[in-house]
């Protein structure tokens, strides 16, 4: 059998990367690409005897107790998507913004914050806001790009706000406390949401025609809304999930189960809980979690093989040499790598492929891996909105009016991407924004 180890780690890294790119171009799924490349290189570099080492890494990945939180939070998002809780929440939040120019856009962002604090999954959030908020703003005469950008960027806030699935996966990969990650992400996420709101309000003040004020008839419609019913259950769920985590009452995994119970009870009291809803929610959860687990298996196998090859030491030396030994230079190189990967790969794959390599470099430089988790999460925020494959844009396109093209969605997102880069830069240069609680 051909001995791949004879070519050395430098050429081996290039061959591994090239093989992945070629296989991805064939249309093969990332999970199977990484698993196949890992298998070929394990056998070609070490022989068949290396395979048990790879399987032991896979078992450690899928057997993690904290990993149970992922399907629970995904199930919460699915239940919200199929109940009327999110719709009533959006209607009730009108009271905060109807009389303010740009208020419906700000209201959309506020609803996005509450939804993100309940589930931490961007797909369901973006679709929900695309169904509820986008038609409302277009009907009221809002500027199209402002309405599209606010809806899509607001839906992507689920990546930053606890209980973010991105933070959970990072915590599992980097072996750091997920509860600490949630605390660290809170302030940067809040700053990002405030930056969105400030941009909307300033833009609408400069261009009043972008956000017409509602008529007296439209304001009169708000009197029929049951605010208690609409606000009580979502806010109670947020308190149950985040309050139990921050208060030390429950772990992240236990809090995720509490959240599911809270949504189920809320749906039952509202008369919306039935077998069809549970069945659809379970199917959606299995589809999403199946994708995450398979990508995780493939990426874990690939990183395990690359680590055995000496690849992590090679990448560390390469990055440090390119940065000239500068700490900030190293961080910026990592950010560029993550931004490029995020434009073409799913965030799960990016996290599982890069964090086992990047986190040891970060800790070796004396930096806090909790802080780097927040930085990584903000970086993925940018990738969610960035062309050519920003997933949030595709989620919105699936429910947007037919006359809204994907190109128009991406162009509408450019100001929000700039705001994301601004907040990312702030957290990089001022780490205490993420480490304020220490």
């Amino acid at each position: 059998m051909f001995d791949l180890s004879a070519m050395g780690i430098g050429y081996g890294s290039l061959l591994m990367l090239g093989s992945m790119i070629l296989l991805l171009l064939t249309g093969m799924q990332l999970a199977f690409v990484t698993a196949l490349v890992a298998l070929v290189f394990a056998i070609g570099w070490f022989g068949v005897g290396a395979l048990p080492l790879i399987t032991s890494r896979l078992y450690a990945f899928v057997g993690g107790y904290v990993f149970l939180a992922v399907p629970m939070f995904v199930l919460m998002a699915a239940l919200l998507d199929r109940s009327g809780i999110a719709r009533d929440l959006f209607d009730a939040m009108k009271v905060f913004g109807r009389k303010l120019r740009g208020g419906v856009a700000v209201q959309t962002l506020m609803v996005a914050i509450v939804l993100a604090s309940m589930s931490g999954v961007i797909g369901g959030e973006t679709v929900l806001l695309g169904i509820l908020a986008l038609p409302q703003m277009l009907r009221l005469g809002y500027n199209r790009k402002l309405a599209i950008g606010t809806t899509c960027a607001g839906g992507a806030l689920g990546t930053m706000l606890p209980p973010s699935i991105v933070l959970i996966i990072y915590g599992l990969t980097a072996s750091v406390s997920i509860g600490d990650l949630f605390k660290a992400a809170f302030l940067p996420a809040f700053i990002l949401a405030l930056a969105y709101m400030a941009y909307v309000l300033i833009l609408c003040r400069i261009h009043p025609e972008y956000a017409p004020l509602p008529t007296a008839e439209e304001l009169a419609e708000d009197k029929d809304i049951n605010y208690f019913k609409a606000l009580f259950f979502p806010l109670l769920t947020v308190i149950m999930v985040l309050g139990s985590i921050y208060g030390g009452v429950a772990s992240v995994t236990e809090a995720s189960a509490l959240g599911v119970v809270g949504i189920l009870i809320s749906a039952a009291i509202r008369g919306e809980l039935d077998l069809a809803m549970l069945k659809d929610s379970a199917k959606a959860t299995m589809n999403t979690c199946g994708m995450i687990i398979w990508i995780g298996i493939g990426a874990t196998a690939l990183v395990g093989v690359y680590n055995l090859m000496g690849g992590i030491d090679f990448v560390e030396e390469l990055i440090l040499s390119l940065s000239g030994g500068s700490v900030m230079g190293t961080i910026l190189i990592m950010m560029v790598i993550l931004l490029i990967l995020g434009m073409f790969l799913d965030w799960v794959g990016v996290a599982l492929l890069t964090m086992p390599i990047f986190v040891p470099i970060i800790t070796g430089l004396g930096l806090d891996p909790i802080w780097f988790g927040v930085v990584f999460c903000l970086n993925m925020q940018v990738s969610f909105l960035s062309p050519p494959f920003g997933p949030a844009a595709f989620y919105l396109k699936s429910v947007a009016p037919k006359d809204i093209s994907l190109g128009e969605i991406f162009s509408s997102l450019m100001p929000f991407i700039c705001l994301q880069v601004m907040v990312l830069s702030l957290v990089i240069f001022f780490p205490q924004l993420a480490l304020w609680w220490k």
Side-chain angles (χ1 to χ4, degrees), residues 236-278:
L236 180 63
T237 303
V238 171
I239 292 169
M240 285 174 62
V241 174
L242 298 184
S244 60
I245 294 172
Y246 292 144
V249 177
S251 67
V252 172
T253 306
E254 293 162 345
S256 66
L258 275 175
V260 171
V261 171
I263 295 292
L264 287 172
I265 291 173
S266 301
I269 292 173
R270 293 163 55 91
E272 295 167 344
L273 184 64
D274 55 39
L275 186 59
M277 175 190 169
L278 290 174

Side-chain angles (χ1 to χ4, degrees), residues 55-135:
T55 55
S56 66
R57 278 184 62 96
L58 299 183
Y59 181 79
F61 170 74
V62 298
Y65 174 66
V66 180
F67 198 77
L68 284 172
V70 174
M72 289 292 101
F73 285 126
V74 174
L75 180 57
M76 282 177 63
L79 290 169
L80 280 170
D81 187 18
R82 286 153 181 81
S83 69
I85 295 174
R87 182 189 62 247
D88 287 352
L89 174 65
F90 181 80
D91 289 339
M93 294 293 278
K94 290 177 184 176
V95 70
F96 296 103
R98 291 285 269 178
K99 295 182 181 179
L100 179 68
R101 195 173 294 280
V104 178
V106 172
Q107 166 202 338
T108 300
L109 293 169
M110 292 175 70
V111 171
I113 291 170
V114 177
L115 292 177
S117 301
M118 294 168 72
S119 66
V121 181
I122 75 154
E125 245 191 271
T126 307
V127 168
L128 276 171
L129 292 175
I131 293 171
L132 298 173
L134 183 57

